[in-house]
Amino acid sequence: MRPRVDEVRIKGLGVIDEAVLELSSGLTVVTGETGAGKTMVVTGLGLLFGGRADPARVRPGAERAMVEGTLVVEPLGKVAQQVFDLGGDIDEDRLIIARSVSGEGRSRAWLGGRSVPVGTLTYLAEDLVAVHGQMDQQRLLQPGRQRAALDRYAGEELVKPMRAYTQAYRRHKEIGETLTELTARARERAQEADSLRFALEEIEKAAPKPGEEIELKQEEERLAHADALKTAAVTAHAALLGDPMAAVQGVQDAVSLLGQARAAVEAVRGFDPALAGIGDRLAEAGYLVSDVATELAAYSESVDADPARLAAVQERRALLTGLLRKYGEDSAAVLAFAERAAVRVLELDGDDDRVAELAREHEELTARLTELAAELTGVRTAAAERFGAAVTAELAALAMPHARVVVVVTPTGQFGPEGADEIELRMMAHPGAPALPLNKGASGGELSRVMLAIEVVFAGADPVPTFVFDEVDAGVGGKAAVEIGRRLARLARSAQVIVVTHLPQVAAFADQHLVVEKASDGRVVRSGVTTLDREGRARELSRMLAGLEDSELGRAHAEELLSIAEADKTK
């Protein structure tokens, strides 16, 4: 399902007090007397899709102009997803867009019930509508749109080389960015490598072992307090087992006292099992104290003050502390850092080889891109010739027999995502005239017809859901007007087309006919919009032809036009 504008409500815009436009999915024409406000319909649609807000367009006496549009969209389509991403909502397949302009020039916009910047409507409109009015920016006047449209017009012939070019371009860009980064950071990388090498040398020279700093701390504590430790062990040993070298004998030690206690108990243990158990525990205590006394004797012999070893331990601890401060919280972390640093140094040392390899690949891709870009240029040039001829033929039927449109394909030598070409549509107003850009080579009325011719040619290649034309028939009449109507009807087969016209030959081809009617109470002029039936269309066409709604000659001519248009559309 293609998106389309289903209904537009306009309030307080120009001479329109309040009006509702129910739009056809095919060709809708808007007619009315001069000054009735037909152009306000196009202005309203322009505002709805992000057009410039002119406070002078606000109806006198109204606080603001308000335009609200209901669009039919695919619930899971691209437009719906864009609305959801912006926080808006869609009611089944209906999207509401609104825009207000105050008399002071303040403008507000809403999308799917959410207030959004006006620029959001402009962004959304790029894929929804092409408004061709004398004061509007033309969609196909944008260079990027011209290139994209020509590529679609070129069709399948361009698909394969474009796919190959896109793949090569992405890789070329990726390598170029990597080379730029590597080159720009060459000094930083060299400094990083030097720093890491210094760290690796420092760690390798120190050769730390996991847990070494804890062992050294414990050893330093023992060496620093060796005398106190030895004295404590000797004193404890004497208390447990006695000191045979003591000058005064007779002081009982712990082992002797335990022996006396055990002997006293052993003498009577046979009289009470409970006391016998206590005697066994005293025996165990004696053995245990003897073992501890033996260990204390051995420990006191092992402890010896060694100033040289203490200095060596303190020096080693200072070295390790420096490493821990710079590279990790413990020796294991320092060793892990060394492993990572070694890998990083290999990477940095390999960058030079990598740069050379990438430079070779970049050069090869540049040559490949040059070939593919030239192929794209060739395909586009051929398509541009076909397109120019097709549009020129359309212009001949639109009362511009001497005008010629050409597409200039200019290779720039600068690779871009879509090739290396600049695309520009130009027009020669008459033989011998210079080929100028469209917005400089055509007047307002001519530009509308040129846009119509281009849109008709591009209808299948550059589809847009809705087209709006204002004064597309300016300065023409007779057969040329019929041809304009025929081409608008042709365009409406693949898109929704809304046209403001003053020519009955164009209006006759409408699928839906709206008339803007002006009313006055002598003080205030108001305009409203009415949808015409078959009889109403004949009457309006008669008015446009003869200036009189009830002219028999005009009615006959109107009926003839309607019959011709209906027959043409059924072909």
Side-chain angles (χ1 to χ4, degrees):
M1 179 178 67
R2 293 172 61 85
R4 64 180 177 85
V5 183
D6 185 57
E7 181 182 271
V8 177
R9 294 178 177 270
I10 301 175
K11 184 176 182 179
L13 183 64
V15 296
I16 296 180
D17 184 19
E18 187 169 0
V20 178
L21 287 73
E22 296 179 354
L23 303 173
S24 165
S25 59
L27 174 59
T28 297
V29 299
V30 181
T31 64
E33 296 181 2
T34 301
K38 299 187 298 297
T39 301
M40 289 301 100
V41 173
V42 176
T43 301
L45 287 167
L47 286 173
L48 199 61
F49 292 103
R52 186 178 67 86
D54 183 359
R57 296 289 191 181
V58 178
R59 179 177 173 80
E63 292 184 4
R64 63 179 54 84
M66 187 77 185
V67 184
E68 181 182 288
T70 302
L71 279 66
V72 179
V73 299
E74 175 63 48
L76 300 178
K78 178 181 177 182
V79 174
Q81 188 58 55
Q82 290 174 327
V83 174
F84 296 146
D85 291 343
L86 293 167
D89 195 16
I90 292 177
D91 185 7
E92 295 183 352
D93 60 352
R94 293 296 193 272
L95 167 64
I96 306 298
I97 300 177
R99 176 85 179 276
S100 72
V101 181
S102 71
E104 293 79 21
R106 292 191 299 273
S107 178
R108 296 189 62 188
W110 293 267
L111 177 65
R114 182 180 179 86
S115 179
V116 296
V118 173
T120 301
L121 300 185
T122 305
Y123 168 75
L124 192 71
E126 289 184 359
D127 296 314
L128 283 178
V129 63
V131 179
H132 296 301
Q134 297 224 18
M135 299 302 293
D136 294 295
Q137 291 294 322
Q138 305 302 325
R139 180 172 175 269
L140 282 176
L141 294 182
Q142 303 171 12
R145 286 287 187 178
Q146 294 181 8
R147 194 271 315 148
L150 181 63
D151 285 356
R152 293 191 185 96
Y153 183 80
E156 290 297 323
E157 189 178 355
L158 192 72
V159 172
K160 185 176 180 180
M162 179 59 76
R163 185 183 299 117
Y165 175 89
T166 300
Q167 293 175 349
Y169 174 78
R170 289 174 180 170
R171 179 59 179 164
H172 184 268
K173 183 180 180 181
E174 177 185 342
I175 292 175
E177 292 174 349
T178 303
L179 282 172
T180 299
E181 181 183 0
L182 290 175
T183 302
R185 295 185 59 243
R187 179 176 297 179
E188 296 177 16
R189 291 185 293 108
Q191 292 174 345
E192 182 184 359
D194 288 344
S195 176
L196 290 175
R197 287 192 187 94
F198 175 82
L200 287 172
E201 291 175 3
E202 190 176 17
I203 296 171
E204 184 178 357
K205 183 178 180 180
K209 300 178 179 61
E212 182 182 3
E213 69 278 5
I214 297 175
E215 296 175 0
L216 289 172
K217 181 179 180 180
Q218 294 173 348
E219 185 178 1
E220 182 183 5
E221 290 289 334
R222 288 195 304 272
L223 289 171
H225 301 87
D227 291 340
L229 292 171
K230 188 176 183 68
T231 299
V234 170
T235 302
H237 178 271
L240 295 179
L241 201 57
D243 184 0
M245 302 300 295
V248 181
Q249 298 295 327
V251 178
Q252 291 184 310
D253 56 71
V255 172
S256 297
L257 291 174
L258 285 171
Q260 292 176 13
R262 179 185 177 191
V265 172
E266 286 292 333
V268 293
R269 66 176 295 160
F271 302 117
D272 190 346
L275 189 61
I278 294 173
D280 293 339
R281 291 168 63 189
L282 284 171
E284 292 176 3
Y287 299 144
L288 178 61
V289 170
S290 295
D291 288 341
V292 172
T294 301
E295 291 180 9
L296 285 170
Y299 179 81
S300 65
E301 290 296 326
S302 68
V303 175
D304 190 16
D306 187 348
R309 176 57 184 167
L310 177 60
V313 169
Q314 290 174 335
E315 183 180 355
R316 177 66 176 174
R317 282 199 70 200
L319 177 63
L320 291 180
T321 300
L323 292 180
L324 299 183
R325 187 167 53 248
K326 290 189 285 186
Y327 307 121
E329 60 184 12
D330 53 33
S331 297
V334 171
L335 293 173
F337 170 83
E339 291 180 4
R340 295 193 301 271
V343 173
R344 179 58 178 161
V345 168
L346 289 176
E347 292 177 357
L348 294 171
D349 288 342
D351 277 350
D352 291 339
D353 295 336
R354 187 184 177 203
V355 167
E357 182 180 348
L358 289 175
R360 285 193 297 272
E361 185 177 358
H362 192 265
E363 185 177 351
E364 292 172 358
L365 283 171
T366 299
R368 174 63 174 157
L369 280 176
T370 301
E371 296 175 359
L372 291 171
E375 186 175 354
L376 292 178
T377 300
V379 174
R380 284 171 173 156
T381 300
E385 292 178 357
R386 298 195 303 272
F387 164 76
V391 174
T392 299
E394 289 290 333
L395 290 177
L398 296 176
M400 296 177 67
H402 304 298
R404 183 185 172 200
V405 168
V406 295
V407 182
V408 179
V409 181
T410 306
T412 63
Q414 301 293 323
F415 300 127
E418 309 296 339
D421 300 319
E422 285 186 353
I423 310 297
E424 185 177 43
L425 297 178
R426 299 181 184 177
M427 189 185 87
M428 292 181 287
H430 53 81
L436 299 175
L438 290 182
N439 58 340
K440 296 180 180 179
S443 64
E446 290 175 333
L447 184 58
S448 293
R449 276 178 279 162
V450 172
M451 288 295 105
L452 173 58
I454 290 173
E455 298 291 11
V456 169
V457 173
F458 273 152
D462 185 31
V464 65
T466 301
F467 294 92
V468 181
F469 291 97
D470 184 21
E471 298 191 30
V472 69
D473 49 18
V476 299
K479 183 179 180 181
V482 174
E483 292 299 328
I484 290 176
R486 182 174 287 121
R487 276 152 180 76
L488 288 168
R490 183 190 306 171
L491 183 60
R493 295 173 187 170
S494 59
Q496 181 183 39
V497 181
I498 303 167
V499 181
V500 175
T501 181
H502 65 277
L503 292 182
Q505 295 92 334
V506 173
F509 283 87
D511 297 306
Q512 183 182 46
H513 191 151
L514 306 178
V515 61
V516 181
E517 297 177 317
K518 180 170 61 175
S520 174
D521 61 5
R523 293 177 298 130
V524 179
V525 176
R526 291 183 174 86
S527 289
V529 179
T530 303
T531 302
L532 300 180
D533 57 13
R534 181 66 165 72
E535 177 64 23
R537 291 186 65 194
R539 189 165 55 253
E540 173 65 8
L541 291 183
S542 176
R543 181 197 66 77
M544 297 170 72
L545 284 163
L548 298 172
E549 295 179 356
D550 299 323
S551 167
E552 292 185 7
L553 184 61
R555 286 294 295 270
H557 192 180
E559 291 289 350
E560 182 181 11
L561 282 176
L562 289 171
S563 298
I564 292 173
E566 290 168 358
D568 190 88
K569 289 194 293 184
T570 57
K571 290 181 181 179

